[in-house]
Amino acid sequence: MQPVVTRFAPSPTGLLHLGSAYSALVAWTRAREAGGRFLLRIEDTDIRRCRREYETAILRDLKWLGLGWDGEVRRQSDHFSDYGRELDRLGDRGLVYPCFCSRAEIEREIAASASAPHDSLPGGSLPGGPLLGPDGPLYPGTCRHVAPAERKRRIAAGREFCMRLDSGRAAATAGSYDFVDERRGRIEGQPLLMGDFVIARKDTPTSYHLAVTVDDHLQGVTLVTRGEDILPSTHIHVLLQRLLGYATPLYAHHPLITDATGRRLAKRDKDLTVQSLRESGVGPAEVRRRALAAAGRQA
Ligand code: GLU
């Protein structure tokens, strides 16, 4: 049998709070129970929002909680060339395109498509109005139609651009697929769920979606445990796995823990950070117990 490899993959945009501690605890426990490996990955590709001091604090808090990891910590910003290489593989097959739209232009385009018939994505069209994804209206596909010569001209002229996946082509290339979530069973992949999502941002040769998919593959992760808020993204991570020829791990999306009033914990809840709990005299075993208890309320 394949050894179990799990990972905790925080973005260092704030301190570890009870919710993220729970996520780490789930991944750690699953690896330890199976005699497998628990990896730690710092997801800092959003270079404007991530801070080294948060990374240091996350490592310190995990150690204090007794959630030691195996091997080296992988910091994504040290591996941009890995993501760039995989992006090129998608590019060579015509599955990505440069997008020159500003946020304001996209919003205008979406507003316009609310009143006019629009260019629809295969299998994902609604009669009129913008296509909706889990986070709101999807990118309307404007730059998908820019001719290759014009793309070259804009790039040569120094226009800023991000890269997007051509989701229609990607879906046709990948064919139908599914994945397994332990709690929910087999789930049919929806390759168009996020439309032509950003696969590499303007300032980095990757986005969260590409980096997480490449890293889970390179690190040999067999069981991805993470919050159920990320479940919609799993549809496109598995799509990317299919396109890039990677194996698909098993998934276990867990409920997000909430406070006693049922409100979801967020990084702004300063009193529920591991650091503030420690400073107020709460011990590591008690923090772990509170994280599990809060999760028990959800299960
Ligand atoms: N970096 C993501 C976060 O902090 C987690 C991504 C994942 O576990 O796949 O929310």
Side-chain angles (χ1 to χ4, degrees):
M1 244 196 29
Q2 226 184 4
V4 172
V5 181
T6 67
R7 86 308 192 269
F8 176 53
S11 299
T13 54
L15 292 170
L16 200 68
H17 57 73
L18 212 53
S20 39
Y22 172 67
S23 223
L25 186 54
V26 170
W28 180 88
T29 306
R30 292 298 302 269
R32 294 289 170 259
E33 275 173 0
R37 286 166 61 75
F38 168 63
L39 308 180
L40 176 61
R41 184 164 79 224
I42 297 295
E43 300 207 322
D44 62 345
T45 57
D46 190 348
I47 46 187
R48 285 159 303 126
R49 289 178 59 230
C50 297
R51 301 264 177 282
R52 258 322 149 83
E53 57 267 31
Y54 288 133
E55 177 184 324
T56 308
I58 290 169
L59 266 57
R60 178 201 57 204
D61 290 347
L62 286 172
K63 280 188 197 148
W64 179 78
L65 283 168
L67 304 180
W69 54 90
D70 299 309
E72 299 267 300
V73 177
R74 181 173 169 98
R75 184 189 295 126
Q76 290 186 323
S77 61
D78 293 336
H79 296 278
F80 282 142
S81 59
D82 287 336
Y83 316 127
R85 188 188 61 234
E86 297 304 83
L87 179 65
D88 287 347
R89 285 179 60 210
L90 297 171
D92 290 346
R93 293 153 73 196
L95 296 172
V96 299
Y97 63 85
C99 170
F100 304 91
C101 296
S102 67
R103 204 175 286 249
E105 283 165 341
I106 296 174
E107 274 164 23
R108 270 201 302 277
E109 189 76 25
I110 288 170
S113 74
S115 50
H118 61 85
D119 170 30
S120 63
L121 290 167
S125 64
L126 297 172
L131 294 168
L132 288 181
D135 305 319
L138 297 176
Y139 175 66
T142 321
C143 284
R144 200 183 326 128
H145 308 294
V146 175
E150 174 61 13
R151 284 179 183 157
K152 276 202 186 125
R153 194 194 64 72
R154 290 186 193 179
I155 293 170
R159 288 272 302 271
E160 283 200 323
F161 62 97
C162 67
M163 297 296 289
R164 292 183 179 274
L165 189 81
D166 183 330
S167 56
R169 276 197 188 186
T173 306
S176 62
Y177 62 90
D178 52 30
F179 58 93
V180 176
D181 175 273
E182 276 188 350
R183 294 169 65 101
R184 299 164 179 82
R186 193 164 291 280
I187 296 176
E188 193 186 330
Q190 296 177 51
L192 305 175
L193 190 63
M194 301 232 177
D196 288 5
F197 63 88
V198 173
I199 193 140
R201 277 194 297 265
K202 287 182 176 155
D203 50 359
T204 57
T206 188
S207 63
Y208 157 68
H209 299 301
L210 179 62
V212 81
T213 306
V214 172
D215 280 351
D216 283 341
H217 165 69
L218 291 180
Q219 295 188 285
V221 173
T222 64
L223 173 63
V224 173
T225 62
R226 58 186 178 190
E228 63 191 4
D229 55 328
I230 306 181
L231 180 56
S233 297
T234 302
H235 287 268
I236 60 172
H237 298 172
V238 180
L239 170 66
L240 291 176
Q241 289 158 11
R242 302 277 301 197
L243 296 174
L244 292 166
Y246 302 164
T248 294
L250 177 62
Y251 288 89
H253 295 90
H254 58 71
L256 296 177
I257 73 172
T258 57
D259 64 17
T261 66
R263 203 172 50 92
R264 187 174 146 183
L265 295 189
K267 286 184 177 163
R268 64 178 177 277
D269 292 313
K270 301 277 181 282
D271 49 334
L272 287 172
T273 64
V274 172
Q275 180 174 300
S276 62
L277 290 165
R278 177 172 62 243
E279 284 168 2
S280 65
V282 183
E286 174 61 13
V287 174
R288 289 163 63 151
R289 196 199 60 74
R290 285 190 198 179
L292 290 174
R297 261 200 312 267
Q298 289 306 296

